[in-house]
Amino acid sequence: MEKMFKVSAVSAALMGALAAAPSFAATDSAAGDQYVDALSEFLDGATLSLVGITDTRYRVGKNRTTSDDEYNEELNYTDYNIALNFSSGYHNDFIGVDLGGYFSGSLYNAGGCSEISMCDGWDQDENQNGALKVTKAAVKFKGDAYRADFGLTQMGVGTIGNVWSFVPGTYKGGKAFIELGDFTLGYGGATAHTAPWWMTSSKVPGLEEPNDSQFNYLQSLGLAGKVGDVGLNLGIGHANLAHESDDNISYKAQVDFNVGQAALSYDLYGVDSEVDYEGFGAHHGLSLKMPVGSWNWMSQLRYTHTENGAEFTPRTVRAYGSNNGTWSQWWDALSDWNQDTELAWYNRLSTEFGNGWFGYVGLGVSTIDEGVTSYEGEYAVNGTIGYTLPSGAMKGTTMRFHTTYLTRDETAGNDQEWVDFRFQVIVPHNFF
C-alpha cells in the first residue's frame, strides 16, 4: 500500500533515536550483536500500515409489472473494516515476510451478506462480528532479477487476479516473477482460495469442509512489458476443477498504446470450458481515455459471447468468489454486463474540483440478441462525489458518496430496475 500519511512526530523522534544509537541497542541485547544486526536489517525498509473503513449501503429494486411499482429493500447495512498490514525488509537482501489481516463487523445489517463483513453463505454472520481474518502470511524472496512469495498471499499473474472487497481475498499458494529485459515473466499457482467475506471455505455456498475448494489446482503464466511504445499483458491459465472431470483454460491478451493525449487499449479475457460454456466464452473490450478540458473522459466498449448462451464470468473458475481474473474494465454500475451477445458501451467524465474534492458521472447502455436471456438490454447512470483531506494529521482520509440507477428491458414487458446508494469513509495511516 502506498504511504498516504507521513510518520507522526512521535514516531519520527522514536525512529530517529533508534537509528542514532544502534550501539546501545546492541550492547543491551541479551541475544548479542548479530541478533540486533539481523533485526535492524529485517526492519530496514519495513512498513506497517492500518486502514479503517465504514461502508453504509442502501439498495432497493422492483419489477415494474408484478410489484405494483413498489421498491423492495435488497441491501441495508453499515459495516466496518480495520485492516493491518506489515511488510518486512529483506534479511541478507534476500528473504522477508509479509503479514496482513483485518477485523470486520456490522454496526447494522438487515440480514444480507454485504461482502464487507464476515458472511455465512449469503447471510451476514453475526457470530463473527469483530472477527479477525488473516489475509496474508507469506515468506518473500528477491534477487537481482527475480522476486517471489509463498504462503497465504494474493495473485495478479497472467489470468489470475484478486477478489476484492476493501481487502483482497487469500490464495494458498505462491507466485514468482523474473525480469527479462523490457518484460516480466510471472507464474502463480494455488490449491485454494477464500473471498474476503468468508472466513473459511466451510462458509462458502456449495462447500462444506474448512479446507475444501472449487479447484484442486489453479495456475497461470503471464508476460508483461513493452515493445517500443506498445504495452503488452499476456497470460494463459489452467484450473483442475475439484468437482468435475474437466479442466478449464483461461486466456488474457491486452494491448495498450497512446495516440497523442489519448490512451487506447484492447483487452481479451477468454475461458475454454466444457462445464461452463460448452466451449469458448470471452469478453472483448476497447478502451479510450483522454483529457477533455479540465475533465477526463473514459469510453469503453465491451462485447461478450459464449458457445451455450450462458452469461460469461472473466475468471478461470466460474464459481463466485472462488478466484478472480485480470479483466481490466470495471464500471461500478451494479450489472456485470456479461450476457451472451451483449454489446455494452460505458462513458464516464471525471474531474478533480480542487482542495480535495473529486467526482464523476457515468452512463452505460447495452443491447442483447433476442431470445438469449430474459431481457433485451440494460441501461445505467451512476456517479460519485468525494473529498480527500489534502493535509494535516488526517491527511488522506476520504469520504465518498456513490449512487447507481440500473434498469433492464425485459422481453415479457416486466422491466426491472434498481437504485443503489453508498457512503464510505476511509481512514489510512502508516506507522512507519
Side-chain angles (χ1 to χ4, degrees), residues 85 98-101 133-138 149 152-154 170 175:
N85 290 281
D98 286 339
L99 304 172
K133 178 176 180 179
V134 175
T135 55
K136 190 161 191 175
D149 72 353
L152 300 178
T153 188
Q154 282 71 51
T170 304
K175 60 185 180 291

Side-chain angles (χ1 to χ4, degrees), residues 173-427:
K175 60 185 180 291
F177 300 92
I178 184 170
E179 304 299 327
L180 302 172
D182 293 332
F183 282 83
T184 300
L185 178 66
Y187 173 82
T191 58
H193 174 271
T194 54
W197 52 89
W198 288 317
M199 184 66 73
T200 70
S201 57
S202 63
K203 301 293 185 179
V204 179
L207 301 180
E208 298 179 355
E209 301 298 327
N211 293 317
D212 204 356
S213 176
Q214 300 284 1
F215 52 84
N216 293 321
Y217 193 69
L218 173 68
Q219 59 183 330
S220 180
L221 193 67
L223 182 68
K226 298 191 74 172
V227 177
D229 294 329
V230 178
L232 297 176
N233 188 347
L234 310 174
I236 183 169
H238 165 264
N240 175 234
L241 302 179
H243 307 289
E244 302 285 348
S245 59
D246 291 305
D247 293 356
N248 285 0
I249 305 295
S250 54
Y251 306 91
K252 162 82 172 182
Q254 183 173 341
V255 181
D256 304 300
F257 58 96
N258 293 330
V259 177
Q261 291 185 304
L264 304 171
S265 70
Y266 166 76
D267 193 7
L268 160 71
Y269 194 100
V271 178
D272 193 351
S273 172
E274 291 298 324
V275 173
D276 300 324
Y277 311 116
E278 298 179 11
F280 189 68
H283 276 329
H284 301 263
L286 293 173
S287 297
L288 165 68
K289 296 178 182 179
M290 64 179 296
V292 179
S294 62
W295 293 74
N296 291 304
W297 175 38
M298 180 186 77
S299 183
Q300 295 185 332
L301 192 67
R302 178 186 308 177
Y303 180 70
T304 304
H305 63 90
T306 59
E307 292 289 335
N308 61 354
E311 63 180 55
F312 176 72
T313 54
R315 51 184 178 263
T316 311
V317 181
R318 187 176 185 181
Y320 185 77
S322 65
N323 70 126
N324 206 5
T326 50
W327 174 247
S328 62
Q329 294 184 352
W330 167 242
W331 300 343
D332 202 8
L334 296 184
S335 174
D336 289 327
W337 311 86
N338 65 339
Q339 297 294 332
D340 179 39
T341 75
E342 184 166 18
L343 179 63
W345 186 29
Y346 180 79
N347 287 271
R348 175 183 294 175
L349 286 172
S350 60
T351 191
E352 294 184 4
F353 300 105
N355 298 318
W357 288 93
F358 61 90
Y360 75 76
V361 60
L363 172 66
V365 297
S366 81
T367 181
I368 304 169
D369 286 357
E370 185 176 354
V372 172
T373 187
S374 64
Y375 53 96
E376 299 172 340
E378 50 189 339
Y379 316 91
V381 178
N382 66 349
T384 288
I385 185 73
Y387 174 73
T388 298
L389 286 171
S391 61
M394 300 291 286
K395 179 182 177 181
T397 295
T398 296
M399 291 160 282
R400 175 180 181 269
F401 177 75
H402 176 80
T403 186
T404 300
Y405 171 81
L406 171 70
T407 184
R408 287 173 174 167
D409 289 338
E410 298 285 331
T411 54
N414 54 337
D415 296 350
Q416 293 181 303
E417 63 182 49
W418 293 264
V419 183
D420 186 71
F421 303 97
R422 197 168 191 178
F423 178 70
Q424 300 158 347
V425 179
I426 303 168
V427 183

Side-chain angles (χ1 to χ4, degrees), residues 8-28:
S8 69
V10 174
S11 298
L14 178 60
M15 294 299 289
L18 290 174
S23 60
F24 289 102
T27 302
D28 293 341

Side-chain angles (χ1 to χ4, degrees), residues 97-179:
V97 296
D98 286 339
L99 304 172
Y102 79 109
F103 298 91
S104 68
S106 278
L107 303 177
Y108 169 79
N109 193 308
C113 176
S114 66
E115 301 183 2
I116 306 301
S117 60
M118 290 295 110
C119 300
D120 187 352
W122 297 118
D123 296 320
Q124 197 269 337
D125 192 346
E126 294 182 357
N127 295 325
Q128 294 192 86
N129 258 354
L132 170 67
K133 178 176 180 179
V134 175
T135 55
K136 190 161 191 175
V139 179
K140 60 184 180 181
F141 307 88
K142 74 169 185 175
D144 291 338
Y146 71 89
R147 65 187 189 279
D149 72 353
F150 301 93
L152 300 178
T153 188
Q154 282 71 51
M155 286 294 169
V157 184
T159 62
I160 307 177
N162 297 306
V163 176
W164 279 93
S165 177
F166 287 106
V167 297
T170 304
Y171 291 93
K172 183 165 67 175
K175 60 185 180 291
F177 300 92
I178 184 170
E179 304 299 327

